[in-house]
Amino acid sequence: MNIILYIILLTCWLTLVSCELFTTMAGAVGLSSLGVYYYKYMHCKYNECCNDDYIYLDLHKLEKLMKNKLYGQHIAYKTIINALRGYSKQHDQGKALSFSFHGTPGTGKNYVAKFIAESLYKKGIESKYFHFFNGRIEFPLKHEIEKYKVQLQNKIKNALQDCPQSLFVFDEIDKMPEGILNVLVPFLDYNTWSTKGTTNKAIFIFLSNTGSRQIVQQLLNLWEKGVKREDTKLQDFENLISIGAFNEKGGFHLSDTIETSVIDHYIPFLPLEEEHIKNCVKIAFKRRNIEPTTEMIDEALSHMTFDPPPHNLYSKSGCKRIEQKVATIIYSYVK
């Protein structure tokens, strides 16, 4: 029997046969659970598995990433860190943790989603437990909505069966046909879906431009009343965002995910002011090993559009176009 165990183990290591297949083989020949355990140990030593060796929420790393690479988003920083800290300390989750990031382009929504993945998985965004969906690319046809629903439901279910600590990011929700996200409600709600013997420890993140107008207008109203940007709070925006997203066209329009209150946190990514854009410009130059002059920084800023009138306080595209502009400026200075 030991010879058979050795042969199976050797075969599995050479061919990277899955743990599940090995378990079946072991049961068929009556091998001990010790052999199965030993294979799983060796398999997970060289291959990503859904365990603490590959999945560990490093909040210190996340805090460092957000402090160094995210500008002007004190509400997002505080809310996300506290929510994830509570998530990490709660053993029986009861429900998946869900965030909905809202704001104008270039304010850091995608960056933060990636930071969370990098802080949760040893392999970061390369982890097989990180699942990214682009609303514009993956759900382009309105007449195929029912097919998309079935496909999405199966993908989420299979991913959670593979690993309850999966991370799902849905980008460009506002470009997604309405109704598709309704299939997510059972996965987001309390104890309505679970894998046998496990709890739902998943994280869902939705990225959207919906609610942007409400965020900009509310921030401007508070500024006119003398409220400093850094003194604004989540409560100033959260209800406005959920109402705006529910009523605007896109994946959240009249969505059950909003109506059934299964999304835990609606987080505003505030429009960026000139000082924040300057930080983005400086970082873009330094990324290319260039120490920018005041003239170079001013030239980069001259390409940015600020609104709404008459004050024109906020960058229309955030830091989104900075990289391309900086590359052009550097080339123009090379003689």
Side-chain angles (χ1 to χ4, degrees), residues 54-300:
Y54 291 93
I55 304 175
Y56 177 77
L57 183 59
D58 188 343
L59 284 172
H60 178 72
K61 179 179 181 179
L62 180 59
E63 286 181 313
K64 186 176 180 181
L65 284 169
M66 292 179 73
K67 282 182 179 179
N68 293 337
K69 298 184 178 182
L70 185 68
Y71 306 118
Q73 305 299 349
H74 65 286
I75 295 175
Y77 173 85
K78 182 178 180 180
T79 306
I80 292 167
I81 291 296
N82 288 339
L84 287 171
R85 183 172 285 117
Y87 161 88
S88 66
K89 294 182 180 298
Q90 189 174 346
H91 299 293
D92 184 9
Q93 298 301 123
K95 76 179 292 295
L97 177 64
S98 54
F99 296 104
S100 191
F101 297 169
H102 297 258
T104 53
T107 49
K109 300 185 294 295
N110 283 83
Y111 274 136
V112 173
K114 290 179 181 178
F115 294 161
I116 292 173
E118 295 293 343
S119 305
L120 179 61
Y121 300 117
K122 184 177 181 179
K123 289 192 168 188
I125 60 174
E126 299 301 321
S127 171
K128 63 182 179 181
Y129 307 124
F130 172 71
H131 306 275
F132 184 87
F133 302 87
N134 183 286
R136 188 197 301 265
I137 296 173
E138 299 187 59
F139 313 104
L141 306 174
K142 291 183 179 181
H143 65 273
E144 296 283 8
I145 288 178
E146 294 307 315
K147 183 179 77 172
Y148 295 150
K149 284 182 178 181
V150 174
Q151 291 175 343
L152 180 57
Q153 189 175 50
N154 288 335
K155 285 181 180 179
I156 301 297
K157 184 176 180 180
N158 291 336
L160 290 175
Q161 288 175 336
D162 191 30
C163 184
Q165 287 183 278
S166 293
L167 171 59
F168 304 95
V169 175
F170 293 83
D171 192 14
E172 295 199 297
I173 295 293
D174 45 306
K175 302 299 187 295
M176 185 184 298
E178 64 180 80
I180 293 176
L181 295 179
N182 291 344
V183 301
L184 298 182
V185 171
F187 303 107
L188 295 169
D189 210 348
Y190 284 91
N191 298 314
T192 57
W193 193 94
S194 64
T195 307
K196 185 177 180 181
T198 65
T199 56
N200 188 354
K201 299 179 181 179
I203 300 176
F204 288 79
I205 302 176
F206 304 98
L207 313 178
S208 175
N209 292 336
T210 55
S212 295
R213 288 182 289 113
Q214 289 84 355
I215 292 171
V216 171
Q217 189 58 53
Q218 176 70 341
L219 187 61
L220 188 60
N221 291 342
L222 293 169
W223 175 79
E224 290 174 341
K225 293 177 181 178
V227 179
K228 295 181 180 179
R229 180 192 183 93
E230 58 270 25
D231 292 333
T232 56
K233 302 176 181 178
L234 178 64
Q235 298 92 311
D236 295 325
F237 301 94
E238 194 167 29
N239 190 49
L240 290 174
I241 293 172
S242 63
I243 293 173
F246 187 75
N247 290 312
E248 290 181 36
K249 289 184 178 181
F252 277 141
H253 185 232
L254 305 179
S255 174
D256 289 349
T257 55
I258 295 179
E259 197 165 31
T260 57
S261 301
V262 292
I263 295 177
D264 299 307
H265 305 283
Y266 292 92
I267 299 180
F269 279 69
L270 306 181
L272 300 182
E273 299 174 357
E274 185 174 305
E275 63 174 304
H276 308 122
I277 304 302
K278 280 186 179 180
N279 287 329
C280 293
V281 170
K282 291 176 183 177
I283 292 297
F285 276 111
K286 289 180 180 178
R287 196 176 288 124
R288 294 168 172 79
N289 297 315
I290 300 291
E291 188 63 39
T293 63
T294 301
E295 182 183 1
M296 294 167 78
I297 293 173
D298 289 342
E299 184 174 346

